[in-house]
Amino acid sequence: MDFGSDQRVNRTLQFDPFTGPDDAVRFIETIILPHPWFRFICLSDATDDRPIGSIVLRPEDAGGGRRRVSIGYSVVPELWGKGIATVAVRMAVAAAFEQWPEVERVQALVFLNNPASQRVLEKAGFQNEGVLRKYLVSKGELIDVAIYSFIAADCRAF
Amino acid sequence: MAAPVSLRRFDLSDLDDFWVWASDKHVAANCTWDAYTSKDDLRRFMEENVLTSPWFRAIIVNGRPVGAVSLKSFNGADSQCRREIGYVLAREWWGKGVATAAVRIATEAAMSEIKELERLEALVEKGNKASQRVLEKVGFQREGLLRNYCWNKGATRDMVMYSFIRGDSFLI
């Protein structure tokens, strides 16, 4: 519930913040459980293993293949600025290339008004390929997004 | 001066003209589909995809179809502001400004007809300079090179992303 209900987290995501436990249950049932690859981010040295963020991989190929995969992630605001998302992204990218040998490209779209998230991708070895103008509608507004990618060749270089 | 170009909806009676570019391996090399080897297969494609599509038009020169322009929509409530434009032209008509005229007409028509449209985008293979020039001459902006973006004919392809946003200026 914590990060799902926080306005600061949801400002740059495409979900509305949870307003109550029912929203969270519905989210778990409709989004998380059927998802091809959804993971909670937890701190391994914490006294409890409560999720402090989440990370997803989504196949994007037209035919349902996994050559092109999208990554998305979020972390509770109290733990922003500690490099957690960067580590989680690195782990997820490694997992994608290991589990799905056909992956050619992992990509991420980041709202232009979210420079912290862009730095996460840059630190994790993604290349900024450009800005896609008026690409999405989020909360009623047209949004420019930056598109980043990590390709198979980057594995060897990184 | 080049012959005037117009667009109109397809009809099944256009099958023979459609066959000219759809069966041409040189044309298909730049596209995501393979050249057709059977007119029956092409007729089925016209019936199931072309005639039923919300936006798939014939490029008309001298009263005959010489190619096609189509728009693809995206799934997701957040992506209804976006369409992807694709175009194909019979080889005989390459290098005469026909595709450029057709893309310009199609872009203007799309913006006028589709009220929620804000962004028209196009993906072109990195090596297909002629097609990139078509978009640039119309007034599309090159936004970047997307590495390993598509898989086509057994290889991964780098694609250049172009866009025309509602309010952008046409250059022709």
Side-chain angles (χ1 to χ4, degrees):
Chain A
M1 269 286 296
D2 277 349
F3 56 94
S5 58
D6 195 312
Q7 289 273 12
R8 289 167 293 175
V9 171
N10 282 281
R11 182 179 68 87
T12 55
L13 297 180
Q14 289 154 266
F15 300 112
D16 290 320
F18 298 158
T19 53
D22 284 349
D23 285 349
V25 169
R26 195 161 30 246
F27 188 80
I28 290 172
E29 285 172 351
T30 60
I31 306 286
I32 298 182
L33 295 182
H35 201 283
W37 201 99
F38 181 105
R39 298 288 185 274
F40 283 118
I41 302 170
C42 308
L43 299 177
S44 55
D45 63 349
T47 47
D48 65 72
D49 61 357
R50 283 200 325 167
I52 51 95
S54 67
I55 186 157
V56 297
L57 296 174
R58 270 179 302 260
E60 295 281 349
D61 294 19
R66 283 184 294 238
R67 295 204 166 93
R68 185 166 83 235
V69 172
S70 265
I71 188 167
Y73 46 90
S74 66
V75 172
V76 292
E78 305 84 84
L79 294 173
W80 287 0
K82 298 182 189 313
I84 292 171
T86 304
V87 170
V89 166
R90 285 206 189 115
M91 292 172 75
V93 169
F97 281 106
E98 261 172 51
Q99 286 174 187
W100 302 324
E102 70 271 32
V103 172
E104 298 283 347
R105 171 187 175 90
V106 180
Q107 67 175 31
L109 301 182
V110 187
F111 291 10
L112 267 198
N113 64 3
N114 192 351
S117 189
Q118 292 181 51
R119 274 195 304 278
V120 165
L121 295 167
E122 283 154 16
K123 286 191 289 176
F126 280 64
Q127 301 283 333
N128 183 343
E129 293 172 330
V131 172
L132 309 182
R133 303 177 297 157
K134 306 249 191 313
Y135 195 73
L136 295 170
V137 176
S138 174
K139 302 177 173 54
E141 270 189 57
L142 281 167
I143 305 279
D144 294 347
V145 299
I147 184 163
Y148 282 81
S149 73
F150 192 108
I151 61 172
D154 294 340
C155 283
R156 295 187 280 285
F158 194 60
Chain B
M1 183 182 144
V5 172
S6 62
L7 302 183
R8 64 153 169 81
R9 303 194 70 112
F10 273 105
D11 183 81
L12 258 187
S13 59
D14 295 322
L15 179 62
D16 288 342
D17 288 322
F18 206 121
W19 175 256
V20 169
W21 68 83
S23 61
D24 186 333
K25 283 205 299 284
H26 294 99
V27 171
N30 293 319
C31 302
T32 53
W33 40 270
D34 291 320
Y36 281 82
T37 51
S38 145
K39 243 182 197 172
D40 283 338
D41 287 347
L42 184 60
R43 177 185 295 110
R44 196 162 27 249
F45 174 73
M46 287 191 76
E47 286 167 347
E48 292 171 9
N49 297 87
V50 176
L51 301 183
T52 56
S53 163
W55 216 105
F56 203 128
R57 298 192 185 165
I59 301 174
I60 304 294
V61 174
N62 298 331
R64 303 273 299 270
V66 299
V69 191
S70 60
L71 300 182
K72 189 184 87 166
S73 321
F74 296 91
N75 291 328
D78 57 3
S79 300
Q80 296 314 299
C81 57
R82 211 161 79 230
R83 299 289 186 274
E84 181 183 341
I85 186 168
Y87 45 93
V88 61
L89 194 62
R91 205 163 21 127
E92 176 194 349
W93 290 95
W94 288 8
K96 302 181 194 319
V98 175
T100 304
V103 168
R104 193 240 190 274
I105 295 167
T107 301
E108 192 160 24
M111 288 294 173
S112 162
E113 295 166 21
I114 306 172
K115 296 306 175 199
E116 69 265 23
L117 179 62
E118 298 290 337
R119 171 188 172 89
L120 200 53
E121 64 184 32
L123 288 165
V124 184
E125 280 198 36
K126 184 171 70 173
N128 190 348
K129 302 294 186 197
S131 190
Q132 292 167 35
R133 273 196 306 275
V134 165
L135 297 165
E136 286 160 9
K137 284 193 289 178
V138 173
F140 279 65
Q141 301 282 336
R142 185 191 205 275
E143 290 175 331
L145 180 71
L146 309 186
R147 306 173 303 156
N148 288 10
Y149 196 74
C150 287
W151 184 268
N152 187 18
K153 298 177 171 65
T156 190
R157 314 275 173 154
D158 292 346
M159 307 295 285
V160 185
M161 172 72 91
Y162 283 88
S163 72
F164 190 99
I165 303 301
R166 183 181 290 280
D168 280 356
S169 302
F170 289 106
L171 297 181
I172 50 147

